Each structure stands twice: as C-alpha cells, then as structure tokens.
Amino acid sequence: MRRAWQPSIARVAGGLVLLAAASAAIAADAEEIRGWLDRMAMAVNNLNYRGTLVYLRGGQVDALRIYHRVDQDGMRERLVALNGAHREVLRDNQSVRCIFADSQSIVVDTRIAERLFPVIPPDSAALLGGRYQASLDGSERIAEHEAQIVSILPRDGFRYGYRLWLERDTAMLLKSNLLDDRGDPLEQLMFTEIEIGGSISDRELAPDLPGDRYVQVEIPRGGDPAEGAPEVIHWQVVDVPEGFTLSSHTHGDRHTLEHMVFSDGLASVSVYVEPARENEPGLSGYSRVGAVSMFGRRVRGFTITAVGEVPPSTVQMMARSVQQRTVGGAAK
C-alpha cells in the first residue's frame, strides 16, 4: 500500500525532463526578445530612414514627417509637423533646434532632449531581468512591412508598459503603444509609410522655415559646477521606487534650479527644485497631460515638481519625499 504513494523513478525522471525543457524554452524566448530589443535600439539610432507617422496622445493627433541620417559626421534628424501650426525640429549629436512659424522663434536646447521613440537601452538584459517582463505576441503588417510584436509589461504599479511592432528584417520600430495598468494605450505612435535604408540628402535635413529673422532662445545646460569644483547636492529624493536610480543631477547654488533625473532603463522621472515665486503659485498636487503625470508642492519657499511618463503614484511618492540636505550631507 505504501508503494502506491511512491512515485516511480520513470515518472520523476519524466517530470525533470519536462521541467528542463520548459526552462530551456523560456531561456530561448528571453534570448530572442533581448535580440529584438537590442536590434531595435541600434536600428532607431543608426539606420537611415524617412517616413510619415502619426502620434496620438491626450486626444490630440499629430502627423509628422521624419528624416533620419547617420554618417561619418554623426546623426542628423529633421521632424516636420504636417498639421497645425508649421513647426520643425532639427536634431544632431549636440543639440535640438525647434523652429516655430507662428511665434517666429527658434528654441535651441543644448541638452540632448528626449526622443520621440521609446528609448531602449543598448543592452536590454538588465531591463528584462528587473522590473519588466517581456513576451513575443505574434506579428502584424504595419506600413506595408511585416512586424514582430514585442510586449514589455511592468511587474509593479510604478511604471507603464509598452507594446512594440518591429520590422522583420531590420527591427526598426514601426509602431509603439504606451500602456496603462489595464493594458489600454495612453499614447500611440505609428508609421503610415516608411523607407528604411538608402541615402538622405542634405536638402531633406534642411529646414523649410527661413528662421533668419526669428527670435532665438537658447536653453543652456545650466547648473553644471565649474571645472575642478566639488559637486554640492542641496536636495535629495528619499523614497524612490525600486529599480529607479539617479542618472543625472544638475544644480547651482541654493537660489537656482536643481534638476534630478531617475531612470529604470525605460521609464524616467524628472524632479525639479526651484525658488517659489509669489506671483506664480506653480503646480500644487497632481495633474496629468496624456501619459505625463505631474505632482507639485512647496517646501520652505521652494517649489518641488516631479514629472514623468509614469503612473500618478510614482511622481507623488518621489515629490513628497524630496528633502533638503544640510552642509554635512544629511537630509532634513
């Protein structure tokens, strides 16, 4: 009778074989997903392409024309708005220039601004093994190209998910959805037509707007300490969701703007600290524009604002935990 409850060696061995096979299949899928994401990161940055895409967020639809070229001189990119006021964005390895026809102005940002496409780290292994889980979800035809669908879903409630459509041969991103906690799209980007490869001429990268009589405004990096000077951090974020780390911190003296950026490799949150202005109440509490969540509050005459394409709980946690540091480095 006792023997009937004892599993046979054959059954145990069979179970181990099935478990090993399942583990190998999971490992193979993870390796394939990493391959797709690593190729996508390379394709978006290093391929030549031109195309037309639509960008949906917050109930607004923008149609854009994009030209992207990489050669021995580096990367150059031009975005042209096809609806609404005439505007163009010119990007290279050093800066971003935004040209606005309605206000006849040019804004030059000497920092590398955020890209239109999701930024996947060049080596996605750490990303997939951390706060996200990824899967291959079939294929679909986008802009006359066959695309592999890759889903990247968060393991907690502090970040959003992505669904990506990657061109079969090059892994170029053809479509992306930013997903909320229910899997519904908050933002959508999709090429309606695209030409991958080939040459991009200087003329295609040159702006149509003249700009010679436009007012130019330059946004400097700001807050960088002088060369050789010790870095002094006046503020810190005490409560940071697991997986997010400080990727940059720019600052000046106690009367100037302080800017911290936290990233988990896919999502990022910016935290700003600046002197409160009497005639400008600033953001108080929670606000949201499309997928961008914002939370603001005042502390000892300073305005603190956390902003990012993350759920409301993330910016609220981080903004509420910002504390000023004493000279000795402790928070207060």
Side-chain angles (χ1 to χ4, degrees):
M1 183 70 174
R2 192 167 38 191
R3 247 182 258 153
W5 289 94
Q6 294 176 347
S8 68
I9 294 176
R11 288 175 61 189
V12 172
L16 291 176
V17 169
L18 290 175
L19 180 60
S23 299
I26 292 172
D29 286 347
E31 188 64 29
E32 185 177 0
I33 292 168
R34 282 196 294 268
W36 277 107
L37 295 180
D38 292 345
R39 289 174 60 214
M40 172 199 153
M42 295 292 293
V44 168
N45 291 314
N46 297 334
L47 290 180
N48 286 1
Y49 51 87
R50 63 168 65 81
T52 304
L53 52 90
V54 290
Y55 186 31
L56 290 76
R57 60 174 176 174
Q60 179 178 338
V61 180
D62 288 318
L64 304 166
R65 182 73 180 169
I66 187 171
Y67 304 90
H68 185 275
R69 184 178 79 186
V70 177
D71 56 22
Q72 66 275 8
D73 297 322
M75 182 275 294
R76 290 180 63 189
E77 184 177 275
R78 175 176 169 235
L79 274 170
V80 183
L82 301 181
N83 62 321
H86 194 171
R87 59 199 185 280
E88 300 187 36
V89 178
L90 307 177
R91 181 194 305 272
D92 59 27
N93 291 328
Q94 283 73 46
S95 66
V96 178
R97 297 172 62 219
C98 304
I99 308 175
F100 303 95
D102 52 354
S103 61
Q104 294 194 342
S105 62
I106 301 174
V107 177
V108 180
D109 194 340
T110 57
R111 302 163 298 182
I112 300 300
E114 293 183 1
R115 293 186 56 88
L116 180 66
F117 302 135
V119 179
I120 303 293
D123 181 359
S124 61
L127 174 67
L128 297 182
R131 296 296 148 186
Y132 297 88
Q133 55 186 351
S135 61
L136 300 176
D137 294 331
S139 60
E140 191 174 335
R141 194 161 176 259
I142 302 293
E144 299 185 348
H145 293 265
E146 287 297 322
Q148 171 66 54
I149 304 172
V150 179
S151 296
I152 305 175
L153 303 179
R155 299 180 187 273
D156 59 31
F158 290 112
R159 58 213 92 211
Y160 291 136
Y162 282 91
R163 184 160 290 117
L164 311 172
W165 284 255
L166 310 183
E167 201 267 336
R168 278 287 186 184
D169 295 329
T170 63
M172 175 65 194
L173 181 68
L174 301 179
K175 177 181 176 180
S176 72
N177 287 351
L178 182 66
L179 308 174
D180 64 16
D181 56 356
R182 297 169 299 182
D184 296 328
L186 292 165
E187 291 184 357
Q188 300 179 71
L189 179 150
M190 184 179 73
F191 277 96
T192 57
E193 62 92 9
I194 184 172
E195 179 185 343
I196 303 171
S199 60
I200 304 293
S201 67
D202 289 343
R203 176 64 192 91
E204 291 174 296
L205 295 169
D208 287 336
L209 296 171
D212 50 350
R213 297 184 180 180
Y214 286 10
V215 176
Q216 180 164 308
V217 178
E218 183 165 338
I219 302 175
R221 288 182 179 274
D224 290 333
E227 185 176 353
E231 183 173 339
V232 179
I233 298 176
H234 301 110
W235 299 83
Q236 64 178 348
V237 181
V238 177
D239 293 331
V240 179
E242 191 170 353
F244 283 89
T245 59
L246 182 66
S247 58
S248 71
H249 192 151
T250 58
H251 57 87
D253 60 31
R254 68 182 302 273
H255 299 291
T256 61
L257 174 70
E258 196 159 342
H259 179 206
M260 293 164 272
V261 179
F262 295 82
S263 174
D264 67 356
L266 186 57
S268 63
V269 178
S270 287
V271 179
Y272 299 90
V273 182
E274 56 187 331
R277 298 175 175 84
E278 292 184 4
N279 299 328
E280 299 179 17
L283 176 65
S284 178
Y286 172 70
S287 180
R288 175 173 157 180
V289 178
V292 178
S293 297
M294 297 168 280
F295 189 89
R297 68 187 185 107
R298 284 197 177 194
V299 177
R300 299 191 188 93
F302 289 87
T303 298
I304 296 171
T305 309
V307 182
E309 284 194 343
V310 291
S313 58
T314 306
V315 292
Q316 182 170 337
M317 170 195 285
M318 297 177 71
R320 287 192 180 278
S321 73
V322 174
Q323 297 181 13
Q324 194 170 17
R325 296 172 64 93
T326 62
V327 175
K332 65 177 183 178

